[in-house]
Amino acid sequence: MRIKEYLIPNWKKPELDEGSKKAIERGDELEKNLDACYSRLETIEICTSNSKDEDAILLTKFLTVNMANLLLVFFYQSKISLPEEVRTSLEKIPDSDLVEVMKEFLEKLNLDTSNNDSVEEKISITQDTINKIEKIIRQKYKEEIYNKIKVYKTRLLLQSIILSGILLVGLYSGYKKYNELKPLKPDTFTILHSENKNLQPFPDTKLNVELKPSEEWQPIVTNFAKPTKIGFLKIEPIHQKDSRFQIKEIKFYAGDKVVKNIELILTQETMMSLPKLIQLNDGVTLGRANIGQASEFVTKAINPEINFLLDDLDGITKIEFTVRYIKKHKKFKN
């Protein structure tokens, strides 16, 4: 295989002179005769697997005819029909290496033996010989069977695959970059809750509040129809991927009184307590906020969830969040 020929861009179909046409015909004939040999070999293997050893021996004799004809046709000699003609036909083959391979094969074959082990051995010897013949021809006579059209078609196919791959990678990279850079849309801030921190919230507790992307802090207020007990709080802060989200604090009200205030400004203390307080699903991960900054989260999917495990809070009438969100590739200024 001429690797260089397959990689050099050249879309022009080659012109064929008489020598090229003859090489193509010779190569096609070689492929056809090789296929005939391998096909008969498969039939012999099927006979052996079904314990039809006599049939396998008979077919092997005629496979030697196929192998001899492969060489005879390749060197423009007449075909033979009978196994008895195989040895004498080798005198017409002008390549001593191929003749030596065939003679060695015929000596090893010993078709008079018909036990099962020897039949399997004969199949192995025959297959090895066909492989050797094919290898010698392809190495020594590659110019004589060089197929410009086949190389041309293979080059077109290979280069089309490479170009398609480059195009797909480029499109994917562009699409990925576009998603990273495209503006965020207004969204909804969703909360759900349950009374016990060991109990997942029920869907009927869902509350939605609209919010917009901004670098400025936004108050998100959720009011309950009646005083509520809360032990588990789930929030879906945004329903878009590739966003950077911060929560500064969460205030829990009983009437007008703040009964609990969770400040999410990073300190040595909060860094130790956050893993016990917060659980994240696969759609969100912690960002890289520094000490003194609000806790930061980055959404990786459209379904980020942040769960807060709380001490049971009773009589809650309102929750107020202080939040903001921007694109992931940006940074908050303060």
Side-chain angles (χ1 to χ4, degrees):
M1 179 185 292
R2 304 179 180 188
I3 300 296
K4 187 177 179 180
E5 289 190 59
Y6 292 121
L7 298 178
I8 295 176
N10 184 2
W11 299 86
K12 184 180 179 182
K13 189 174 181 179
E15 297 180 1
L16 300 178
D17 54 21
E18 287 303 316
S20 299
K21 292 178 182 178
K22 188 175 181 180
I24 291 173
E25 292 173 0
R26 196 176 186 186
D28 289 345
E29 194 68 27
L30 172 66
E31 297 296 337
K32 184 175 74 174
N33 289 324
L34 279 170
D35 288 343
C37 290
Y38 285 121
S39 177
R40 178 155 286 180
L41 184 61
E42 288 179 9
T43 304
I44 294 169
E45 290 174 340
I46 293 172
C47 289
T48 304
S49 65
N50 292 322
S51 301
K52 296 181 179 180
D53 293 345
E54 292 184 4
D55 292 343
I57 292 294
L58 180 61
L59 288 171
T60 302
K61 289 181 179 181
F62 281 92
L63 177 54
T64 63
V65 175
N66 290 111
M67 295 165 68
N69 283 334
L70 183 153
L71 297 176
L72 290 167
V73 171
F74 187 75
F75 292 105
Y76 306 108
Q77 302 297 323
S78 300
K79 290 184 177 182
I80 60 174
S81 302
L82 301 173
E84 293 78 11
E85 300 176 275
V86 172
R87 288 186 181 275
T88 56
S89 71
L90 297 179
E91 298 173 1
K92 301 177 183 179
I93 308 301
D95 189 297
S96 59
D97 292 332
L98 291 170
V99 172
E100 186 63 30
V101 169
M102 279 296 291
K103 285 183 177 180
E104 183 180 346
F105 162 63
L106 294 173
E107 291 297 328
K108 289 181 179 179
L109 197 58
N110 188 16
L111 292 174
D112 295 331
T113 306
S114 60
N115 63 74
N116 192 57
D117 290 341
S118 65
V119 171
E120 291 179 351
E121 186 178 348
K122 290 175 177 55
I123 292 174
S124 178
I125 293 170
T126 304
Q127 185 166 15
D128 288 344
T129 303
I130 296 173
N131 292 339
K132 286 179 183 178
I133 290 172
E134 181 179 3
K135 184 176 180 180
I136 290 172
I137 291 177
R138 293 196 187 282
Q139 287 181 346
K140 293 182 68 174
Y141 299 95
K142 59 184 178 182
E143 295 295 334
E144 287 81 351
I145 59 174
Y146 180 64
N147 190 328
K148 288 184 178 181
I149 298 299
K150 186 176 181 180
V151 171
Y152 167 72
K153 290 180 178 178
T154 304
R155 181 173 63 243
L156 287 185
L157 177 61
L158 180 61
Q159 293 182 3
S160 296
I161 292 172
I162 292 173
L163 288 175
S164 298
I166 293 172
L167 180 61
L168 286 173
V169 170
L171 288 173
Y172 174 75
S173 299
Y175 175 75
K176 185 177 179 182
K177 194 67 177 177
Y178 167 74
N179 279 334
E180 290 177 354
L181 299 178
K182 73 176 181 180
L184 292 170
K185 299 178 293 185
D187 212 315
T188 55
F189 184 95
T190 302
I191 75 164
L192 300 94
H193 70 275
S194 67
E195 294 183 358
N196 191 307
K197 63 182 177 182
N198 296 316
L199 182 66
Q200 284 287 325
F202 292 107
D204 59 2
T205 65
K206 180 184 289 189
L207 294 172
N208 293 319
V209 180
E210 293 184 358
L211 78 165
K212 296 180 180 180
S214 173
E215 292 188 8
E216 303 300 324
W217 293 107
Q218 304 175 60
I220 300 295
V221 179
T222 56
N223 294 290
F224 298 99
K226 60 181 181 179
T228 302
K229 184 178 181 180
I230 299 177
F232 187 110
L233 180 66
K234 175 186 287 187
I235 69 170
E236 299 170 3
I238 188 173
H239 302 89
Q240 300 173 65
K241 63 185 298 187
D242 296 323
S243 71
R244 191 176 300 279
F245 193 93
Q246 280 189 320
I247 304 176
K248 185 177 182 181
E249 63 180 348
I250 308 173
K251 293 180 180 179
F252 295 84
Y253 288 83
D256 295 331
K257 182 181 178 182
V258 177
V259 295
K260 188 174 183 63
N261 184 16
I262 300 176
E263 292 190 355
L264 293 175
I265 303 298
L266 285 184
T267 63
Q268 293 294 339
E269 183 179 350
T270 56
M271 287 177 67
M272 297 294 292
S273 62
L274 275 179
K276 298 177 182 178
L277 175 67
I278 295 176
Q279 294 177 345
L280 308 177
N281 76 344
D282 293 337
V284 62
T285 184
L286 283 171
R288 296 184 178 180
N290 297 319
I291 297 294
Q293 295 180 330
S295 297
E296 186 173 291
F297 307 89
V298 174
T299 60
K300 301 189 295 181
I302 61 173
N303 61 336
E305 294 178 3
I306 304 175
N307 299 321
F308 292 87
L309 307 180
L310 308 170
D311 296 327
D312 293 345
L313 302 175
D314 210 353
I316 301 302
T317 56
K318 179 175 70 173
I319 305 177
E320 182 178 340
F321 303 83
T322 304
V323 302
R324 60 182 179 178
Y325 73 99
I326 56 176
K327 282 299 291 185
K328 184 178 75 173
H329 70 275
K330 296 181 178 180
K331 291 185 179 181
F332 292 109
K333 294 180 179 178
N334 51 62

